[in-house]
Amino acid sequence: MSFFNSRYHRQIILPEIGTSGQDKLTASKVLIIGAGGLGCPVLQYLTAAGVGTIGIIDFDVVEISNLHRQVLYGESAVGKNKAQAAKTRLTDLNPTIAIHAYPEKLTTKNALSLFSAYDIIVDGTDNFSTRYLVNDACVITCKPLVYAAIFKYQGQVSVFNYQNGPTYRCLFPEPPKAGSVPSCAEIGVLGVLPGIIGSMQANEVLKIILGLGTVLNGTLLMYDSQTTQSSTFSISRVASEISKVLDQAKDFETIDYDLFCGIKKISEITAKDAFLIKNAQFIDVREAHEQPKIESLDSANIPLDKLGQELSTIDKEKEIIIFCQSGIRSKKAVEIFLKHGFVNVSHVKGGAVALYEIIPDLTDYRNL
Amino acid sequence: MQLTIRYFGMLAEATAITEEQLQTEACSVSQLLEKLKIQYPKLSGKDFKVAINQQLVAHNHIINTEAEVALLPPFAGG
């Protein structure tokens, strides 16, 4: 028996796996997003099982408070990038496979090309922005997504976008209000919980690769470590949710998921405060014929539907203040600016009407 | 009509129970949720999905037989 076969002997002798199953594992490529509480057990078991190519993306560094649950790391890894520290440990565990560490943040810029190079994506992230980003990138690149998330003593696991099944958005179309769902850092977690849930994710990955059993496709599993009970719920594919993602696939790189999840807010200022900002660039996104005109205000008129073409003419360094008639179009305009990398952008509450009303006092403000 | 209501994650914290039997006249998911939010004010403003007999349903889903209702919130942690 070869060295290779001895390593995997105990799984190869399972009649459902055999050497052909092992060959499937060797040929498969799995990308794990986040090498934290969930990512560590996933990485450990997939590496040990001989998944031929493993990718790890994580920009974060190992902290001492991670060690009680992120069991790949020891004290020697504290301060090191998680993707690289995980690769070091995993290479020792199984040097016969290819392990790629990406010590960077997953963004809309790198997600599609990265996902395209793998067969299965595993979500081990800890925030909603990245979860929606991962889901949408999986939809666009047609990759199955092995999902899990935890809260205190409970975990949820599912497999999305597999065999024409539902996606994360079919389960949760809208993100929860920002700050309403706490993270492990805020409320704590017992280390073994991500160990259990991450192992379930690893199991789903192996089932997909090996064609074993029933994959949690279209099924949400809820596990409670306090009662040791698990419950499953069926989820249906919602075609309109998937179309939404595919319809904006060509603009994927410009989607701001922090904005979508309410982490980044559209800033709104009052007409009075708007005038107090020195050297601000005012932009009127109304159509040219709309009244009232704010003659005394030095502003550029770029109607909302022309904004996309005119963005390059606007100075990114300046503070930008947008207004329309009532505040609806200006809010959309702020979103467009934020998507295109502008940072200091706000819009006027109450729009042109509010600005017009305080013009009699304008001289006083300007002289402040 | 007798319903079994199960609360998951932070919803169990909002109601201080994980499961209860409820006798109710509510005949749709939205009617049931209205009643639950009066009984447990902390449920208001929470985001969650509803499953009836282990099947995810919309808020206009009709409940007219004994059923198990599960309230499922999204989790963030990893």
Side-chain angles (χ1 to χ4, degrees):
Chain A
M1 180 173 290
S2 72
F3 181 72
F4 178 83
N5 279 348
S6 330
R7 175 182 281 274
Y8 305 118
H9 177 255
R10 300 297 191 277
Q11 63 194 34
I12 287 175
I13 58 171
L14 286 165
E16 298 80 9
I17 298 177
T19 49
S20 68
Q22 195 60 51
D23 291 343
K24 286 180 193 165
L25 289 169
T26 307
S28 58
K29 300 173 184 147
V30 182
L31 177 68
I32 289 92
I33 323 283
L38 294 170
C40 282
V42 175
L43 286 164
Q44 215 157 8
Y45 280 109
L46 296 187
T47 299
V51 167
T53 306
I54 288 183
I56 316 162
I57 178 162
D58 201 318
F59 67 95
D60 211 359
V61 294
V62 179
E63 292 176 36
I64 193 89
S65 65
N66 297 150
L67 302 187
H68 88 298
R69 67 188 187 285
Q70 300 179 19
V71 292
L72 271 181
Y73 315 119
E75 281 204 20
S76 63
V78 171
K80 292 186 178 152
N81 170 266
K82 285 186 184 177
Q84 284 164 336
K87 183 183 173 177
T88 306
R89 168 70 191 110
L90 295 169
T91 305
D92 182 42
L93 176 61
N94 189 349
T96 71
I97 65 165
I99 302 172
H100 304 294
Y102 308 97
E104 59 199 86
K105 196 170 160 57
L106 184 78
T107 67
T108 54
K109 306 277 189 297
N110 61 15
L112 299 185
S113 59
L114 199 54
F115 284 26
S116 301
Y118 290 87
D119 308 321
I120 301 172
I121 312 298
V122 179
D123 180 356
T125 61
D126 60 0
N127 64 83
F128 290 109
S129 304
T130 321
R131 289 190 184 282
Y132 279 95
L133 191 165
V134 168
N135 177 76
D136 295 357
C138 281
V139 170
I140 294 167
T141 56
C142 304
K143 303 292 174 182
L145 169 59
V146 178
Y147 159 88
I150 53 174
F151 174 85
K152 280 194 173 171
Y153 299 98
Q154 297 183 3
Q156 46 189 217
V157 189
S158 191
V159 173
F160 294 125
N161 204 41
Y162 179 60
Q163 292 181 342
N164 211 36
T167 70
Y168 183 59
R169 281 180 188 264
C170 304
L171 173 60
F172 298 117
E174 296 289 329
K177 284 168 276 303
S180 67
V181 180
S183 68
C184 298
E186 293 166 279
I187 45 157
V189 64
L190 198 59
V192 70
L193 196 254
I196 294 167
I197 302 298
S199 300
M200 286 185 178
Q201 279 181 292
N203 188 40
E204 293 306 308
V205 172
L206 295 175
K207 276 155 57 184
I208 293 172
I209 297 170
L210 296 165
L212 286 179
T214 312
V215 173
L216 278 177
N217 175 22
T219 303
L220 176 72
L221 182 141
M222 301 287 293
Y223 175 81
D224 185 338
S225 65
Q226 296 283 64
T227 57
T228 330
Q229 269 193 351
S230 55
S231 319
T232 53
F233 301 93
S234 17
I235 319 163
S236 304
R237 182 176 165 92
V238 182
S240 58
E241 287 302 323
I242 294 160
S243 303
K244 256 190 239 171
V245 176
L246 292 174
D247 288 348
Q248 52 178 2
K250 65 176 172 24
D251 298 321
F252 179 74
E253 285 199 6
T254 65
I255 298 173
D256 189 327
Y257 282 88
D258 283 347
L259 198 61
F260 173 66
C261 291
I263 293 161
K264 200 191 275 177
K265 289 217 168 36
I266 293 188
S267 88
E268 188 183 60
I269 54 170
T270 63
K272 186 179 160 184
D273 288 345
F275 281 120
L276 289 175
I277 296 168
K278 290 198 167 59
N279 300 319
Q281 163 75 67
F282 282 86
I283 298 172
D284 181 353
V285 292
R286 296 177 300 168
E287 299 299 318
H289 61 82
E290 287 181 74
Q291 298 292 336
K293 288 276 163 251
I294 320 285
E295 304 287 354
S296 50
L297 182 69
D298 182 18
S299 68
N301 182 216
I302 309 173
L304 185 62
D305 57 353
K306 304 264 181 343
L307 191 59
Q309 310 148 32
E310 299 289 329
L311 279 176
S312 57
T313 65
I314 299 162
D315 185 358
K316 272 194 181 181
E317 301 303 313
K318 273 196 174 176
E319 178 130 8
I320 294 160
I321 299 173
I322 302 164
F323 64 95
C324 63
Q325 199 71 356
S326 63
I328 295 168
R329 278 172 288 172
S330 56
K331 189 178 175 195
K332 285 186 183 151
V334 178
E335 285 179 27
I336 294 171
F337 273 100
L338 292 175
K339 276 182 188 173
H340 288 85
F342 287 78
V343 186
N344 295 315
V345 194
S346 48
H347 75 128
V348 180
K349 189 178 181 182
V353 176
L355 287 169
Y356 192 73
E357 276 172 7
I358 66 158
I359 281 179
D361 307 325
L362 196 58
T363 331
D364 300 336
Y365 288 125
R366 281 283 157 91
N367 293 337
L368 280 175
Chain B
M1 183 172 47
Q2 174 98 350
L3 299 176
T4 303
I5 321 275
R6 299 179 69 194
Y7 304 94
F8 285 88
M10 54 295 264
L11 306 180
E13 295 184 342
T15 59
I17 44 167
T18 55
E19 193 172 317
E20 67 177 327
Q21 304 292 318
L22 195 74
Q23 195 66 39
T24 178
E25 299 308 311
C27 64
S28 71
V29 168
S30 47
Q31 281 182 20
L32 174 68
L33 293 182
E34 269 176 43
K35 287 182 194 297
L36 291 177
K37 284 176 182 174
I38 293 167
Q39 195 175 345
Y40 305 107
K42 286 183 185 168
L43 277 183
S44 297
K46 295 269 191 296
D47 297 282
F48 55 85
K49 301 303 276 189
V50 177
I52 307 276
N53 295 331
Q54 288 81 47
Q55 170 85 49
L56 227 77
V57 296
H59 283 193
N60 59 7
H61 186 90
I62 301 299
I63 315 170
N64 50 17
T65 53
E66 281 191 14
E68 185 194 277
V69 182
L71 273 50
L72 306 163
F75 292 170

